[in-house]
C-alpha cells in the first residue's frame, strides 16, 4: 500500500506539471468541469512492452475517438513497478459520460480487433486499478 500511495502522489505531481506546461492545447475552462480518471495497469510478466505498443499504436487514438482526452502516461522509475506497470490519466466531461465513453470504447470493433491481435500470445493485463478525481480549485487544471 505504501508504494501505491507514493506512486499515486508522484503521478499527480507529474500530471500537474505536465498539465501546467502542456494542457493549453485543450481549453478546459471552455469545456466546463471535467472528471479525471487515473488507471494503473499491472501486466503479466514480460508483457509491459506489448501493452505500451498497444497504447502507442492504437489505444490512445481510440480513446480520443470515444470522447476521452489523453492527459499523460507514465511508467514507475523503480522496481517492482518499472517492469510491469503503466499509469495513465484521461479526462471525461463528467462521470456519467465516462461510463458511456468506456462502454462505446469496449464495443468498438476496431478495439476488439486490436485487443485480440495483441493478445495472440496470451493476456497482457493482469489487473487494473482506477480512481476518478476532481481537480481542486487551486489546481492548474481546473
Amino acid at each position: 500500500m505504501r508504494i501505491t500511495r507514493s506512486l499515486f502522489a508522484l503521478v499527480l505531481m507529474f500530471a500537474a506539471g505536465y498539465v501546467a506546461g502542456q494542457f493549453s492545447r485543450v481549453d478546459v475552462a471552455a469545456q466546463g468541469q471535467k472528471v479525471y480518471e487515473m488507471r494503473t495497469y499491472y501486466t503479466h510478466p514480460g508483457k509491459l512492452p506489448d501493452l505500451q505498443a498497444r497504447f502507442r499504436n492504437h489505444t490512445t487514438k481510440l480513446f480520443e475517438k470515444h470522447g476521452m482526452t489523453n492527459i499523460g502516461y507514465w511508467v514507475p522509475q523503480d522496481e517492482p513497478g518499472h517492469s510491469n506497470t503503466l499509469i495513465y490519466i484521461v479526462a471525461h466531461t463528467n462521470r456519467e459520460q465516462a461510463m458511456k465513453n468506456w462502454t462505446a470504447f469496449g464495443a468498438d470493433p476496431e478495439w476488439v480487433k486490436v485487443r485480440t491481435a495483441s493478445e495472440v500470445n496470451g493476456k497482457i493485463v493482469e489487473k487494473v486499478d482506477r480512481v476518478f478525481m476532481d481537480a481542486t480549485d487551486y489546481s492548474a487544471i481546473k
Side-chain angles (χ1 to χ4, degrees):
M1 283 306 266
R2 185 175 174 197
I3 291 174
T4 303
R5 286 185 187 137
S6 297
L7 189 57
F8 179 74
L10 183 63
V11 167
L12 289 180
M13 181 179 73
F14 281 111
Y18 170 81
V19 168
Q22 300 294 323
F23 207 73
S24 59
R25 65 183 179 86
V26 178
D27 187 353
V28 176
Q31 295 178 16
Q33 181 66 34
K34 288 189 171 268
V35 63
Y36 298 90
E37 181 180 5
M38 182 176 78
R39 285 189 168 220
T40 304
Y41 285 29
Y42 304 93
T43 66
H44 290 285
K47 296 291 187 174
L48 183 59
D50 295 336
L51 181 63
Q52 289 182 317
R54 187 166 75 187
F55 269 82
R56 183 182 304 109
N57 300 327
H58 306 285
T59 308
T60 57
K61 294 173 193 92
L62 289 168
F63 283 174
E64 293 285 342
K65 175 182 174 184
H66 292 287
M68 299 179 221
T69 302
N70 293 292
I71 302 298
Y73 294 81
W74 298 268
V75 175
Q77 289 186 345
D78 300 318
E79 294 297 352
H82 181 74
S83 297
N84 76 334
T85 307
L86 175 67
I87 303 161
Y88 67 92
I89 298 175
V90 292
H92 308 272
T93 55
N94 57 53
R95 185 86 177 251
E96 181 182 341
Q97 190 61 49
M99 297 303 122
K100 291 178 183 177
N101 293 347
W102 282 112
T103 299
F105 170 79
D108 187 313
E110 186 178 353
W111 163 243
V112 173
K113 180 180 172 184
V114 165
R115 184 190 62 219
T116 301
S118 69
E119 293 180 343
V120 72
N121 294 319
K123 292 278 187 193
I124 294 175
V125 177
E126 181 176 10
K127 177 184 171 192
V128 176
D129 289 332
R130 88 193 230 188
V131 177
F132 286 99
M133 306 175 292
D134 292 321
T136 61
D137 64 345
Y138 52 87
S139 175
I141 185 171
K142 303 182 229 159

